Amino acid sequence: MALIVVGVAGGIAAYKTPALIRLLTEAGHRVRVAPTEAALRFVGRATFEALSGAPAPTSVFDGAAVVDHVSLAADADVVVVAPATADLLARYAAGRADDLLTATLLATRAPVLVAPSMHSAMLAHPATQANLALLRARGVRLLDSPSGRLTGRDSGPGRMESPENIAAAVERLLGPADLAGRRVLITAGGTREPLDPVRYLGNRSSGKQGLALAEAAARRGALVTLVVANVSEPIPYGVELVSVSTALELEAAVALRAPEADVVVMAAAVADFRPAEAAVAKIKRDRVGSLTLELVANPDILAGLVADRRPGQVIVGFAAETGDEAGAALEHAARKARRKGADLTVVNVVAGGAVFGADTNSVVLLSASAEPVGQAAGSKLDVAEAVFDAVVPRLSAC
Ligand code: CTP
């Protein structure tokens, strides 16, 4: 039975935290609640104690005999802070320990998940953004702060993630470490092929799905190398990073590392063609009048990986398809899966560009023989977990 420590800071969203505690206890977990004094202005201590079946102290002096902040910190399997207010984030980022919750956060080595919630203006302030960036860089998992109606009449980002989504994120952190010791190589983002020193041919991949794959693999215990092409999103904690820009650079980076990898996931959107020549100086409008570009083919990196695959290695490809109907897109993807021969193909229907830059995704997984072997929809992290759920049995089978 896992122990989940639920930290509660003093924000209006604290009224939803009892629902989170209920979800966690109903899932069979032990819960200890560590509210701040300010949180108790929103929800009474009796509510937290009754729902968790345990004392809910705010101060390190309350449970001095059992040194609660040390025992909670040591025994927790996950610490989740919901809501995490601007003040709590600032104190956590600064390493303060002036109440039981911050002392526990400082002392624990368990994974920490925070659900920021505050007014949009406070969330957007550079001080809060800097605190969030610092915490993320230290390995704290940050949940989104969705947009919607705020406490007053206004709307905007800063609401707390729903108790259901927070509970699901906790479950993910408790999930199996079934890639422990495995080397996983992931590519993410979109390549850029230079036309001249200031222009390029590119694509709309944000890299978010590849980053989510890296986060999921790291959470499952893998040694992750992430080759990113032109990604501006924050990189998950604990992942080895290699930055490239063009398809040829990506190919070289992958070629160097693939032989060592147990799993290779080609999530990057690789340009199929590049300009035959990149101009050394900026192409001038008045000098060329009209312009015809000559493009040459880039190598198919995934096909090369499959050709050189060593026994026991699992190779995952993506297929971005834009058929008018989902059926047609799947047909194209099945042909691509058979042609490329990856062990798994993750099919993304990108009609209308809906998936690019979005936080959610919907995919179908195809086997090497193009049989549908699974599907997933939800956050890009949910999709990433589903991909590795399908990878793991293929690994152990080897
Ligand atoms: N891919 C690759 N090298 C390329 C192009 C694509 O390794 N030059 C990989 C992608 O990373 C992805 C898979 O191949 O895992 C399929 O990419 P996609 O763009 O859907 O397919 P293409 O092979 O480019 O086919 P088409 O553009 O004809 O749909």
Side-chain angles (χ1 to χ4, degrees):
M1 199 191 261
L3 173 65
I4 316 298
V5 173
V6 178
V8 193
I12 186 76
Y15 82 89
K16 296 189 215 163
T17 308
L20 170 65
I21 298 167
R22 180 37 67 82
L23 286 169
L24 294 172
T25 54
E26 280 184 354
H29 304 309
R30 261 187 329 129
V31 173
R32 284 288 309 267
V33 185
T36 63
E37 276 298 323
L40 296 182
R41 294 185 175 232
F42 293 93
V43 180
R45 192 193 304 268
T47 304
F48 293 135
E49 294 190 339
L51 286 173
S52 66
T58 56
S59 157
V60 288
F61 302 110
D62 289 342
V66 287
V67 204
D68 243 343
H69 65 292
V70 176
S71 59
L72 284 184
D75 296 346
D77 294 291
V78 173
V79 180
V80 52
V81 186
T85 56
D87 180 66
L88 187 281
L89 293 170
R91 289 193 293 131
Y92 185 16
R96 303 270 303 260
D98 40 11
D99 55 16
L100 179 67
L101 174 54
T102 47
T104 304
L105 287 168
L106 205 57
T108 194
R109 294 295 169 265
V112 177
L113 187 68
V114 303
S117 173
M118 66 202 75
H119 188 269
S120 311
M122 297 169 81
L123 181 61
H125 194 283
T128 306
Q129 289 300 314
N131 289 331
L132 287 169
L134 187 60
L135 291 172
R136 187 189 278 118
R138 290 181 185 153
V140 174
R141 271 84 169 175
L142 306 181
L143 288 169
D144 274 345
S145 308
S147 280
R149 177 88 192 267
L150 300 169
T151 318
R153 296 221 175 131
D154 47 353
S155 296
R159 287 167 61 88
M160 187 172 84
E161 192 50 279
S162 69
E164 289 75 15
N165 285 351
I166 300 173
V170 169
E171 292 302 336
R172 274 200 300 265
L173 286 178
L174 292 169
D178 47 12
L179 288 173
R182 300 288 196 170
R183 289 184 184 276
V184 176
L185 175 63
I186 298 170
T187 66
T191 60
R192 291 179 181 173
E193 309 301 322
L195 277 169
D196 70 16
V198 292
R199 303 184 181 95
Y200 58 82
L201 299 178
N203 61 68
R204 296 176 57 196
S205 173
S206 67
K208 283 185 178 178
Q209 184 61 70
L211 298 183
L213 284 157
E215 182 173 341
R219 205 273 304 146
R220 295 169 94 124
L223 301 161
V224 182
T225 301
L226 182 63
V227 179
V228 290
N230 310 300
V231 170
S232 58
E233 301 289 325
I235 303 301
Y237 181 73
V239 158
E240 187 201 353
L241 187 70
V242 182
S243 282
V244 298
S245 187
T246 66
L248 291 180
E249 288 167 11
L250 191 131
E251 183 194 33
V254 167
L256 201 62
R257 293 161 181 89
E260 301 274 282
D262 299 299
V263 183
V264 185
V265 185
M266 282 295 299
V270 183
D272 286 319
F273 298 94
R274 65 180 185 276
E277 264 176 66
V280 279
K282 193 177 168 203
I283 300 169
K284 289 292 193 190
R285 176 197 182 92
D286 51 356
R287 286 209 207 122
V288 290
S290 74
L291 182 62
T292 304
L293 291 177
E294 192 197 339
L295 302 178
V296 294
N298 274 328
D300 186 330
I301 302 167
L302 178 60
L305 285 167
V306 170
D308 295 343
R309 171 175 38 196
R310 63 170 168 75
Q313 197 175 38
V314 175
I315 300 197
V316 182
F318 271 66
E321 301 296 344
T322 57
D324 292 337
E325 297 147 21
L330 266 184
E331 278 292 302
H332 288 150
R335 273 199 295 276
K336 191 178 290 177
R338 278 190 286 265
R339 191 177 74 234
K340 297 214 177 196
D343 300 287
L344 269 179
T345 301
V346 184
V347 185
N348 235 320
V349 178
V350 298
V355 60
F356 296 113
D359 290 317
T360 56
N361 202 358
S362 166
V363 301
V364 175
L365 304 179
L366 300 180
S367 68
S369 55
E371 292 301 319
V373 287
Q375 56 181 48
S379 71
K380 289 188 171 174
L381 210 45
D382 291 332
V383 167
E385 294 285 359
V387 170
F388 287 113
D389 286 346
V391 164
V392 167
R394 285 169 167 77
L395 258 179
S396 30
C398 324

